[in-house]
Amino acid sequence: MKKISGGVCAPAGFRANGVHCGIRKNKTKRDLSLIVSEKRASAACVYTTNLVKGAPIIVTKSHVADGYAQAIVCNSGNANTCNADGVEIAEAMCALVEKNTGIAASDVVVASTGVIGQPLSVEPMAEGMPALAAGLSEENGNLAAQGIMTTDTVAKEIAFSFDLGGAECHIGAIGKGVGMINPNMATMLIFVTTDAAISPAMLQKALSADVKDTFNMVSVDGDTSTNDMVCVLANGLAGNPEITETGKDFNAFRRALNKVTTYLCRCIAKDGEGATKLLECKVTGAKTKNAAKLVAKSVIKSSLFKAAMFGADANWGRVLCAVGYSGADVDVSKVDVSFKSRFGRIDVCKNGSGIEFSEEEAKKVLGADEIQILIELNDKSGKATAWGCDLTYDYVKINGDYRT
Amino acid sequence: MKKISGGVCAPAGFRANGVHCGIRKNKTKRDLSLIVSEKRASAACVYTTNLVKGAPIIVTKSHVADGYAQAIVCNSGNANTCNADGVEIAEAMCALVEKNTGIAASDVVVASTGVIGQPLSVEPMAEGMPALAAGLSEENGNLAAQGIMTTDTVAKEIAFSFDLGGAECHIGAIGKGVGMINPNMATMLIFVTTDAAISPAMLQKALSADVKDTFNMVSVDGDTSTNDMVCVLANGLAGNPEITETGKDFNAFRRALNKVTTYLCRCIAKDGEGATKLLECKVTGAKTKNAAKLVAKSVIKSSLFKAAMFGADANWGRVLCAVGYSGADVDVSKVDVSFKSRFGRIDVCKNGSGIEFSEEEAKKVLGADEIQILIELNDKSGKATAWGCDLTYDYVKINGDYRT
């Protein structure tokens, strides 16, 4: 597997673009993105489990019900959620895509991200769509990544090439966070493209399995969004024998998908609202995989622990506390905890009790911008990883007055 | 029921004191408290559900196993948790009480609060105990309230008088928060005294029922502490006919207990680490009481909503979002939301969609230091209240470097 450039346009037959159409006030911010495939593609999606769902999710569900789609349109600056006319607006966005690209509205995946409960006018999108469509290009994947950003500070994209049944395939993706991030069975906005040939059913199977270990293990602030969506389009232009069952090729595809999704999980956690540090919690030796997941996610969600990491304070008692309330079946008298970064590794807790360590050394280790929290439960072989970020003054600042 | 002064010393036969013995470095902070009853009292406790439990909880459980106790000793500045010799230290604290008061160590409730995983030396407590015991007085309830404070900014105490079977009874309490507060089946440190006569079994029944609607509905930061404990001592000196079964007197006692506990819930939420505002979420019209509880607690725990309240931003979309992921069975298209404070009331969401409102008026309402979030689910008659606080720069500051 090789990292390549191009993001969502790296796979054959995909073009993209992103423009400023006027939903966001700041004219330097793109707010409307479009990704199109040369041919109809197998489509798989997972969505938020929040009962309050953005209107675009309702529309997308019906559009991909047949297992296929050909375009993805997404605006930022407004979530189109809790609006009485939300579904109508989302359908209108798809109709605009049809009008400007010829792709049937019923083959369009639609998504929105931004403030909840503000009316969304279709007018700026109607005005911006011709230029958006005209500018579709294999070079503009990054502009599409920019167009879906909200409080993100960096555009998030990635691509890999990989071999499938002798054919060179490609997979690319863009994604956005970075607040209201606590995906549960679904996730933030992630759009993945691939030229691999894979049936809709197998694509959905691969995606549904993948998110359990990737996006569902990310938390920025514990709030599960109303608009979470991961969508994969696979147009088959790589020419590999279509994947229609589990086996070697399916596993190779899953590995490629997982490379992309894991990369984006880390990006989203690291760019979490106000964050200065990526926290990666690796739990090993759990009774079951599920127990390991509960523990890992509990630790990276703890406000107290997140604030301690902001202060580079090796307050491992807060790690133990979060292990204890995680709901996992854990023998707390056997827990070991270490912190690790590119500046070194320091053991701070052994068998559930504190051990002597150099505070100076700990400060150094915790001064890095990526920190691993290693939790060995010394029981069986269950393991899991979760990603989060520190809790900072800027998180409060960003969210103290997000709307205005 | 009448509010009276005296806190834990308001009921007949209780004396208390608090001193600085040297666990905390700051000599102006009291760090050791003692409450004693003239006679053995019915005792009821509830504890944290965190698997990591402070050593004092283990010792207290064994001391109150017979349903009786006569004294409560508590230090602040160190949680005596995750220490290999924790139980030994907690037992030593009880032995010191016996030595200095004559009350059997096995009748002592012991509690600790502060940093987790730091060795706790018994020496400063051995030095401080004689003065602590000598200073026990009916006037010093407030000093005991001071001695259990950690990041609390105000001492928390309350007392009421009430009638029970013709006898004038009294109930008083002290409590402390204000970080790692997300009680679950138990709570922070709360010590309640009463001179009402009530059997240990009925006292436990009253307490266990009460915490479900009071302390278990409070969250400051979503972290369930390792040392949570609520303890009630009832010494019977008021002379009422002992309560040994449910009925009129039991209900009257429950109402008195609930007055005390509800007051302390509000105190603890309002004094939450870094908080500038008390948030009281009142949910009505839910399918069940449990659904109402899930919704109320989900809203007051949302980091995004808490930050918006800090910024006096009427971002009701975050309320809807938290309703949606609460896990409660809710018809989101029927939800109404209003904000209310001493500056007025403003309706912001009707039937799950936004309604026009004056941003200026909303800023005014949300500028108060106590804010009610009113959520009407328009379904059945389930209702619940939860208490929390805003998320502020100071929360991050306090917890970025709590240990040092």
Side-chain angles (χ1 to χ4, degrees):
Chain A
M1 218 173 303
K2 216 179 87 190
K3 196 170 164 183
I4 55 177
S5 62
V8 282
C9 296
F14 284 97
R15 291 176 301 144
N17 195 20
V19 298
H20 171 83
C21 73
I23 299 167
R24 300 183 70 170
K25 283 174 197 151
N26 184 336
K27 288 188 178 168
T28 68
K29 303 274 192 184
R30 294 173 202 275
D31 53 16
L32 190 61
S33 292
L34 184 60
I35 303 167
V36 303
S37 169
E38 194 178 306
K39 57 177 289 225
R40 279 181 99 215
S42 295
C45 292
V46 287
Y47 311 95
T48 182
T49 55
N50 197 314
L51 290 182
V52 179
K53 288 188 207 311
I57 287 182
I58 297 160
V59 172
T60 294
K61 270 188 177 170
S62 92
H63 286 188
V64 300
D66 63 355
Y68 293 92
Q70 197 172 348
I72 300 170
V73 64
C74 178
N75 72 279
S76 57
N78 187 312
N80 192 14
T81 301
C82 299
N83 292 330
D85 62 353
V87 168
E88 203 180 310
I89 298 288
E91 291 283 14
M93 288 170 69
C94 299
L96 283 170
V97 173
E98 175 170 329
K99 187 176 161 192
N100 288 276
T101 65
I103 293 169
S106 60
D107 277 335
V108 178
V109 167
V110 57
S112 297
T113 179
V115 188
I116 297 170
Q118 302 273 345
L120 172 62
S121 166
V122 81
E123 275 170 40
M125 294 187 279
E127 277 176 37
M129 196 67 78
L132 182 68
L136 283 168
S137 142
E138 287 172 17
E139 314 297 322
N140 288 348
N142 184 261
L143 300 187
Q146 289 176 38
I148 65 172
M149 292 164 68
T150 51
T151 48
D152 302 68
T153 67
V154 292
K156 297 168 183 66
E157 61 175 355
I158 185 76
F160 292 95
S161 65
F162 62 106
D163 180 87
L164 219 52
E168 187 184 339
C169 296
H170 309 85
I171 187 165
I174 60 175
K176 62 85 52 184
V178 282
M180 214 174 260
I181 300 290
N182 182 42
N184 190 9
M185 297 310 201
T187 184
M188 322 104 293
L189 291 184
I190 303 286
F191 305 129
V192 185
T193 59
T194 178
D195 46 22
I198 178 167
S199 69
M202 294 311 290
L203 187 61
Q204 186 67 52
K205 190 181 173 84
L207 177 62
S208 295
D210 185 77
V211 297
K212 288 184 190 154
D213 292 328
T214 55
F215 299 115
N216 285 1
M217 294 303 286
V218 175
S219 183
V220 165
D221 49 19
D223 283 275
T224 299
S225 153
T226 53
N227 288 50
D228 291 344
M229 184 195 297
V230 187
C231 174
V232 189
L233 297 187
N235 67 11
L237 288 176
N240 62 298
E242 191 184 29
I243 301 169
T244 56
E245 55 185 20
T246 53
K248 193 169 138 282
D249 283 1
F250 181 68
N251 292 340
F253 180 77
R254 277 210 58 190
R255 276 196 300 276
L257 179 63
N258 187 257
K259 278 287 265 192
V260 163
T261 54
T262 301
Y263 174 85
L264 288 172
C265 283
R266 293 174 57 94
C267 284
I268 282 166
K270 188 164 185 173
D271 196 27
E273 285 180 338
T276 67
K277 289 171 187 174
L278 169 68
L279 306 180
E280 182 173 64
C281 182
K282 293 175 105 76
V283 175
T284 50
K287 277 198 173 66
T288 61
K289 181 176 182 174
N290 193 46
K293 284 177 142 186
L294 286 172
V295 168
K297 204 145 178 205
S298 183
V299 170
I300 55 116
K301 283 177 73 171
S302 158
S303 292
L304 286 169
F305 177 63
K306 286 153 62 82
M309 288 298 97
F310 173 54
D313 178 13
N315 198 335
W316 61 267
R318 291 178 178 172
V319 176
L320 263 277
C321 178
V323 170
Y325 66 66
S326 67
D329 180 9
V330 170
D331 181 347
V332 292
S333 70
K334 283 159 68 176
V335 180
D336 302 338
V337 179
S338 305
F339 296 115
K340 190 179 163 189
S341 76
R342 67 177 188 276
F343 298 134
R345 173 184 166 137
I346 191 149
D347 301 334
V348 290
C349 169
K350 186 93 190 153
N351 296 327
S353 289
I355 52 177
E356 272 188 54
F357 62 88
S358 154
E359 290 282 352
E360 199 183 345
E361 184 66 19
K363 273 267 179 230
K364 205 181 85 188
V365 169
L366 297 180
D369 62 350
E370 294 194 7
I371 292 162
Q372 288 190 332
I373 304 97
L374 309 175
I375 303 177
E376 171 57 58
L377 300 176
N378 289 304
D379 205 326
K380 297 199 168 144
S381 61
K383 60 182 180 174
T385 301
W387 299 273
C389 59
D390 54 345
L391 175 61
T392 71
Y393 298 124
D394 279 353
Y395 178 84
V396 178
K397 188 174 179 183
I398 291 165
N399 289 299
D401 203 0
Y402 174 62
R403 293 185 315 151
T404 51
Chain B
M1 219 173 303
K2 215 180 86 190
K3 194 170 165 185
I4 55 177
S5 63
V8 283
C9 296
F14 285 96
R15 292 174 301 144
N17 195 21
V19 299
H20 171 83
C21 74
I23 299 167
R24 302 182 71 171
K25 284 173 196 152
N26 183 336
K27 289 187 176 167
T28 69
K29 303 274 192 185
R30 293 172 202 274
D31 53 17
L32 191 62
S33 292
L34 184 60
I35 303 167
V36 303
S37 169
E38 194 178 306
K39 59 177 286 227
R40 280 182 98 214
S42 295
C45 293
V46 289
Y47 311 94
T48 182
T49 56
N50 197 314
L51 290 180
V52 178
K53 289 188 206 309
I57 287 183
I58 297 160
V59 172
T60 294
K61 270 189 176 169
S62 92
H63 286 188
V64 300
D66 63 354
Y68 294 91
Q70 197 171 348
I72 301 169
V73 65
C74 177
N75 72 279
S76 57
N78 187 311
N80 192 17
T81 300
C82 300
N83 292 329
D85 62 352
V87 168
E88 204 178 307
I89 298 287
E91 290 283 14
M93 288 170 69
C94 299
L96 283 171
V97 173
E98 175 169 330
K99 188 176 161 193
N100 288 275
T101 66
I103 292 169
S106 60
D107 278 333
V108 178
V109 167
V110 57
S112 296
T113 180
V115 189
I116 296 170
Q118 302 273 346
L120 172 62
S121 166
V122 80
E123 276 170 42
M125 294 187 278
E127 276 176 38
M129 197 67 78
L132 182 68
L136 283 167
S137 140
E138 287 170 19
E139 315 296 322
N140 287 348
N142 184 260
L143 301 187
Q146 289 175 38
I148 64 173
M149 291 164 69
T150 51
T151 48
D152 302 68
T153 66
V154 291
K156 297 167 183 66
E157 61 174 355
I158 184 74
F160 291 94
S161 65
F162 62 106
D163 181 86
L164 218 53
E168 187 184 340
C169 295
H170 309 84
I171 188 165
I174 60 175
K176 62 85 53 183
V178 283
M180 214 174 262
I181 300 290
N182 182 44
N184 190 8
M185 296 309 201
T187 183
M188 324 107 288
L189 291 182
I190 303 286
F191 305 129
V192 184
T193 57
T194 178
D195 47 20
I198 179 167
S199 68
M202 293 312 290
L203 187 60
Q204 186 68 52
K205 189 181 174 84
L207 177 61
S208 296
D210 185 76
V211 297
K212 289 183 190 155
D213 292 327
T214 55
F215 299 116
N216 285 0
M217 295 303 286
V218 175
S219 183
V220 165
D221 49 20
D223 283 276
T224 299
S225 153
T226 55
N227 288 49
D228 290 343
M229 185 195 296
V230 188
C231 174
V232 189
L233 297 187
N235 68 11
L237 287 177
N240 62 298
E242 190 183 29
I243 300 169
T244 57
E245 56 186 20
T246 53
K248 192 169 139 280
D249 284 1
F250 181 68
N251 293 341
F253 180 77
R254 278 209 57 190
R255 277 195 299 276
L257 178 62
N258 188 258
K259 279 287 267 190
V260 163
T261 54
T262 301
Y263 174 86
L264 287 171
C265 284
R266 294 175 56 94
C267 285
I268 282 166
K270 187 164 187 173
D271 197 27
E273 285 181 339
T276 67
K277 288 171 187 176
L278 169 68
L279 306 180
E280 183 174 62
C281 181
K282 292 175 106 75
V283 176
T284 48
K287 276 199 175 63
T288 61
K289 181 175 181 173
N290 194 46
K293 284 177 142 186
L294 285 172
V295 168
K297 205 149 176 200
S298 184
V299 170
I300 56 115
K301 283 177 74 173
S302 159
S303 292
L304 287 169
F305 177 64
K306 285 154 61 81
M309 288 298 97
F310 173 55
D313 178 13
N315 199 333
W316 60 268
R318 292 178 177 171
V319 176
L320 263 278
C321 178
V323 170
Y325 67 66
S326 67
D329 181 9
V330 170
D331 180 347
V332 292
S333 70
K334 283 158 69 174
V335 180
D336 301 338
V337 180
S338 306
F339 296 116
K340 190 178 163 189
S341 76
R342 67 176 188 277
F343 298 134
R345 172 186 168 136
I346 190 151
D347 301 334
V348 290
C349 168
K350 187 91 189 157
N351 296 327
S353 292
I355 51 177
E356 272 189 54
F357 62 89
S358 153
E359 289 284 351
E360 198 184 345
E361 184 65 19
K363 273 269 179 226
K364 204 181 87 187
V365 170
L366 297 179
D369 62 349
E370 295 193 5
I371 292 162
Q372 288 190 333
I373 304 97
L374 310 176
I375 303 176
E376 171 59 57
L377 301 176
N378 288 305
D379 203 328
K380 295 201 169 141
S381 61
K383 61 182 181 172
T385 302
W387 299 273
C389 59
D390 54 346
L391 175 61
T392 70
Y393 299 124
D394 279 352
Y395 178 84
V396 178
K397 187 173 179 184
I398 291 165
N399 288 300
D401 203 1
Y402 174 63
R403 292 186 316 150
T404 51

